Amino acid sequence: MRVAVREETAKGRVSPWVPIAIGLVAGIASGLLGVGGGIVMVPLLATFAGFAQHRAHATSLAAIVPIAAVGATTFAIAGEIDYPVAGLLAVGSLVGAPLGARFMARSSEGLLTTMFGLLMIGVAIQLLWP
Amino acid sequence: MIVGIVAAGVLVGVMSALFGVGGGILMVPFMVLALGEEQHLAEGTSLLVILPTAVSGVLAHRRRGYVSFHTGMLLALGGSAGAWVGALLALRLSADSLQIAFGILLAVSGIRVIRRGVADLRGERAVGPPESQSGVGTRQSREPPSSPSDGS
């Protein structure tokens, strides 16, 4: 089953333009809103590239590295970064990331996805309904 | 204060690895609402924090074999161009406009993700629940009984 997933994505059954276009949309969202862009990439990879959720999550995380680097640099040039706060948040998140990865590897896909979606809705309501 | 920010960072890190996002979803509202940061400053700071968090997450996932680097590079190609355009755009927009855009993106994506998640849960239940997950050291195969996205 794992081999089948590999072939689906690696053997060119999905045009390379699909992930490039997904990246472009995610990158604009990332730079515009200060998020990684996984919020865009994960559902689009699942829908248009046939990725299973675990793979979509992990792969989008890899793409987030250069995307966030470009965005952070652009904001830094404009002087829009609070470095002390960034340092404190980074220390905490580096501790939390391995914990999250361990939990992800054990949980079922449906539950994981539903939890993620509920989180997104909750934050959205808070932003649009202050 | 300092402890609170670090604790928020831990939460962000867990979410980041768990959902394949950079954690900005949590960080930007946290900085704006709890720390009183200006929206643009919160976004720039968020992007900087995402960087080491994502690197750490990728390393963890790579060990489990979930990362497709081929697709990741193509995503990064389009993504880098988009990130530059998006950031320049953000620097020209008002904080209020950015918050509304943020909320709309979250709501639309959230609905889509929940629908997928519920469909997955139903599918797994229909095929049959994995037998008694008494697993303490569940290192054995966690393959889903069937992949709903198999057919083309």
Side-chain angles (χ1 to χ4, degrees), chain A residues 60-77:
Chain A
S60 81
L61 199 51
I64 282 166
V65 176
I67 289 173
V70 170
T73 304
T74 310
F75 275 89
I77 289 169

Side-chain angles (χ1 to χ4, degrees), chain B residues 5 26-27 71 97 99 113 122 135 142 148-149:
Chain B
I5 297 175
L26 291 178
M27 273 188 292
T71 302
S97 311
Q99 269 199 11
V113 169
R122 283 203 182 126
R142 303 168 304 91
S149 59

Side-chain angles (χ1 to χ4, degrees), chain B residues 22-23 41 52 56 63 74 81-82 89 94 96 110 133:
Chain B
L41 199 60
S56 149
R63 268 180 254 124
L74 294 171
L89 192 59
S94 75
D96 286 347
Q133 297 234 345

Side-chain angles (χ1 to χ4, degrees), chain A residues 8-119:
Chain A
E8 188 175 356
T9 54
K11 296 258 173 141
R13 287 175 71 186
V14 173
S15 158
W17 290 106
V18 170
I20 288 174
I22 293 173
L24 187 67
V25 174
I28 292 172
S30 168
L32 187 65
L33 300 172
V35 299
I39 211 169
V40 173
M41 277 187 282
V42 172
L44 289 183
L45 279 175
T47 306
F48 295 107
F51 270 56
Q53 285 293 313
H54 284 163
R55 248 178 122 60
H57 288 146
T59 302
S60 81
L61 199 51
I64 282 166
V65 176
I67 289 173
V70 170
T73 304
T74 310
F75 275 89
I77 289 169
E80 296 284 6
I81 290 184
D82 186 332
Y83 290 98
V85 169
L88 292 172
L89 283 174
V91 166
S93 66
L94 286 173
V95 173
L99 298 175
R102 198 167 306 153
F103 181 60
M104 167 178 157
R106 283 179 190 168
S107 53
S108 77
E109 289 193 3
L111 185 61
L112 187 70
T113 311
T114 306
M115 281 165 53
F116 186 33
L118 287 172
L119 171 75

Side-chain angles (χ1 to χ4, degrees), chain A residues 1-2 4-6 8-10 12-13 15-72 74-76 78-121 123-128 130, chain B residues 1-2 5-31 33 35 37-58 60-61 64-91 93 97-114 116-118 120-121 124 133 136 138-139 142-150 152:
Chain A
M1 184 152 304
R2 172 172 272 188
V5 173
R6 283 260 160 80
E8 188 175 356
T9 54
R13 287 175 71 186
S15 158
W17 290 106
V18 170
I20 288 174
I22 293 173
L24 187 67
V25 174
I28 292 172
S30 168
L32 187 65
L33 300 172
V35 299
I39 211 169
V40 173
M41 277 187 282
V42 172
L44 289 183
L45 279 175
T47 306
F48 295 107
F51 270 56
Q53 285 293 313
H54 284 163
R55 248 178 122 60
H57 288 146
T59 302
S60 81
L61 199 51
I64 282 166
V65 176
I67 289 173
V70 170
T74 310
F75 275 89
E80 296 284 6
I81 290 184
D82 186 332
Y83 290 98
V85 169
L88 292 172
L89 283 174
V91 166
S93 66
L94 286 173
V95 173
L99 298 175
R102 198 167 306 153
F103 181 60
M104 167 178 157
R106 283 179 190 168
S107 53
S108 77
E109 289 193 3
L111 185 61
L112 187 70
T113 311
T114 306
M115 281 165 53
F116 186 33
L118 287 172
L119 171 75
M120 291 159 74
I121 295 289
V123 180
I125 288 170
Q126 201 167 359
L127 280 177
L128 292 171
Chain B
M1 180 68 163
I2 288 176
I5 297 175
V6 174
V10 172
L11 193 63
V12 165
V14 170
M15 295 302 176
S16 170
L18 201 51
F19 304 120
V21 300
I25 307 153
L26 291 178
M27 273 188 292
V28 172
F30 170 74
M31 281 186 276
L33 299 175
L35 303 182
E37 296 263 31
E38 198 271 337
Q39 176 78 18
H40 296 88
L41 199 60
E43 292 194 12
T45 306
S46 164
L47 285 169
L48 185 61
V49 178
I50 285 166
L51 211 47
T53 310
V55 169
S56 149
V58 169
H61 287 319
R64 297 176 171 84
Y66 290 139
V67 179
S68 166
F69 281 99
H70 174 256
T71 302
M73 276 170 58
L74 294 171
L75 287 170
L77 192 68
S80 301
W84 183 64
V85 171
L88 290 181
L89 192 59
L91 291 169
L93 288 175
S97 311
L98 290 176
Q99 269 199 11
I100 291 169
F102 196 103
I104 290 172
L105 173 77
L106 268 177
V108 171
S109 313
I111 289 165
R112 192 175 291 171
V113 169
I114 286 176
R116 249 189 86 82
V118 170
D120 276 2
L121 280 174
E124 283 168 17
Q133 297 234 345
V136 180
T138 47
R139 223 47 202 150
R142 303 168 304 91
E143 297 289 32
S146 78
S147 156
S149 59
D150 247 4
S152 54

